[in-house]
Amino acid sequence: MRSPVHGLRSTVLALSPRSVLLGSLLAAGVFSPFMRAQTAGQPAPAPPPRLVKVADDLYVIQNANHTVAEIGQNGGNVSIIVTSDGVILVDSKFERMHDDIMAKVKSITDKPVRYMVLTHNHGDHSGGSARLQAMGVTVVSSVASRENMARANAPGRAQVAYSGYSELTLGGTRLELREFRGHTRGDTVVSLPARRAVIAGDLVTTPDSIPAIVNYADGGSWTELGESLESIARMDFDVLVGGHGPNLTKAELLKFRDKAAGIRERFRALNREKKSQDEIAQTLIKEFNWGSGPAAGNLAGMMQELR
């Protein structure tokens, strides 16, 4: 049955706002660990994000050098999908990046932004949502992401939320929305079948300087991250847009999937050998170049999950 909201259909649920006081946004884990890693000290100003063309109707706003420092200042990737009836964005960076996003949209098309789909609730992807809503943009997310934002009383929660699977069609362009668990408990992966493109949010982050991590506070799981990456690998696409980093080919996604699986299973094996957290970290740094920086924040949770 088609929803009355501009072509959004299938398992779509409209949720009323609710707020549960669990402290600040940082304490609740709404902001990405990538951003939190930059809160100590004042890093040098990051270069402005750049606009990357994937196709005539698909663009990505990406950070210039794909570093953690840039994420703390500029946020994550934003996809721009242009249709005959308007623009769909995927993610919204931080609120302070709103004007830059809109300027880049206007450099492509004079059509208005109609929708913004959130891949997940973290502030480096969702922080600009309220500004878009003030312009009349409808924000769409999974129910779980909306609930994660509600727990922290974060602004810009989705007006329309779905569970499992849904579709969004605008101007003849169809987006397939699939809910996964991995980075959080409510990650959304967006597929554009006509463009053979997938937008995966923080389920996929590259290069090695931006390590794969899960956010346990928001229901993330390394085990289910692996299952989600297997599901993405079975999708039919030529280009994948991650939450951070450059666009990937199918072969590059498979390489990322295999590395994440290697980290998980090596961690599990070392944990079962009763190695200490520090010993495990040093081994993973040596073998996978993973375990320091933002990834270090995952180690304690992995000791409990990967037994």
Side-chain angles (χ1 to χ4, degrees):
M1 182 175 70
R2 185 171 297 274
S3 164
V5 186
H6 303 294
L8 189 67
R9 64 186 182 89
S10 190
T11 55
V12 180
L13 305 174
L15 296 184
S16 60
R18 63 173 180 161
S19 172
V20 179
L21 296 179
L22 291 181
S24 70
L25 297 179
L26 290 177
V30 170
F31 286 91
S32 166
F34 297 132
M35 189 277 250
R36 291 202 301 273
Q38 298 304 309
T39 58
Q42 296 295 325
R50 58 197 181 108
L51 187 64
V52 176
K53 182 177 180 179
V54 179
D56 287 342
D57 54 0
L58 176 60
Y59 296 76
V60 183
I61 302 173
Q62 296 176 344
N63 292 332
N65 300 307
H66 308 301
T67 66
V68 170
E70 289 174 312
I71 296 169
Q73 297 181 55
N74 294 340
N77 290 340
V78 171
S79 297
I80 303 171
I81 302 159
V82 182
T83 82
S84 60
D85 288 344
V87 173
I88 303 170
L89 300 179
V90 180
D91 286 340
S92 63
K93 291 184 173 285
F94 295 118
E95 186 276 337
R96 62 179 173 268
M97 300 303 297
H98 173 83
D99 291 343
D100 182 75
I101 292 171
M102 295 311 300
K104 286 178 168 59
V105 171
K106 290 177 181 177
S107 75
I108 300 167
T109 178
D110 59 0
K111 297 185 184 301
V113 178
R114 301 291 190 190
Y115 292 99
M116 192 273 289
V117 179
L118 285 176
T119 60
H120 64 293
N121 58 288
H122 292 154
D124 54 329
H125 297 264
S126 67
S129 298
R131 287 285 299 275
L132 291 168
Q133 288 173 329
M135 297 170 50
V137 175
T138 298
V139 175
V140 181
S141 79
S142 69
V143 170
S145 283
R146 194 185 193 290
E147 290 175 346
N148 280 348
M149 292 180 72
R151 282 201 304 273
N153 198 28
R157 299 190 290 276
Q159 297 105 314
V160 178
Y162 79 99
S163 292
Y165 175 86
S166 192
E167 295 184 2
L168 172 60
T169 299
L170 182 69
T173 298
R174 179 171 63 90
L175 279 63
E176 298 175 349
L177 313 182
R178 292 178 173 85
E179 182 182 20
F180 291 97
R181 183 184 178 202
H183 185 64
T184 72
R185 68 187 181 95
D187 300 305
T188 288
V189 171
V190 179
S191 176
L192 289 85
R195 282 286 162 257
R196 295 181 57 81
V198 166
I199 304 166
D202 280 2
L203 290 168
V204 178
T205 58
T206 57
D208 283 352
S209 58
I210 305 175
I213 60 174
V214 309
N215 189 293
Y216 284 110
D218 285 330
S221 162
W222 267 90
T223 300
E224 295 205 39
L225 174 65
E227 295 171 0
S228 296
L229 291 175
E230 291 289 353
S231 295
I232 294 170
R234 290 192 291 269
M235 293 181 183
D236 190 18
F237 65 88
D238 296 324
V239 60
L240 181 142
V241 180
H244 303 283
N247 301 335
L248 304 182
T249 64
K250 185 68 168 286
E252 289 168 332
L253 180 276
L254 296 179
K255 183 177 179 181
F256 175 86
R257 176 203 62 183
D258 293 345
K259 179 178 179 179
I263 291 169
R264 182 187 67 247
E265 294 312 313
R266 185 69 168 124
F267 192 109
R268 193 192 309 273
L270 292 167
N271 202 15
R272 289 175 175 174
E273 293 172 10
K274 307 301 182 183
K275 300 294 186 182
S276 70
Q277 181 174 306
D278 184 64
E279 288 174 323
I280 294 174
Q282 293 307 312
T283 298
L284 294 177
I285 290 168
K286 180 179 179 181
E287 296 182 3
F288 294 95
N289 191 26
W290 187 97
S292 60
N298 264 193
L299 298 175
M302 294 169 77
M303 294 290 289
Q304 298 300 312
E305 180 187 359
L306 303 176
R307 296 182 173 182

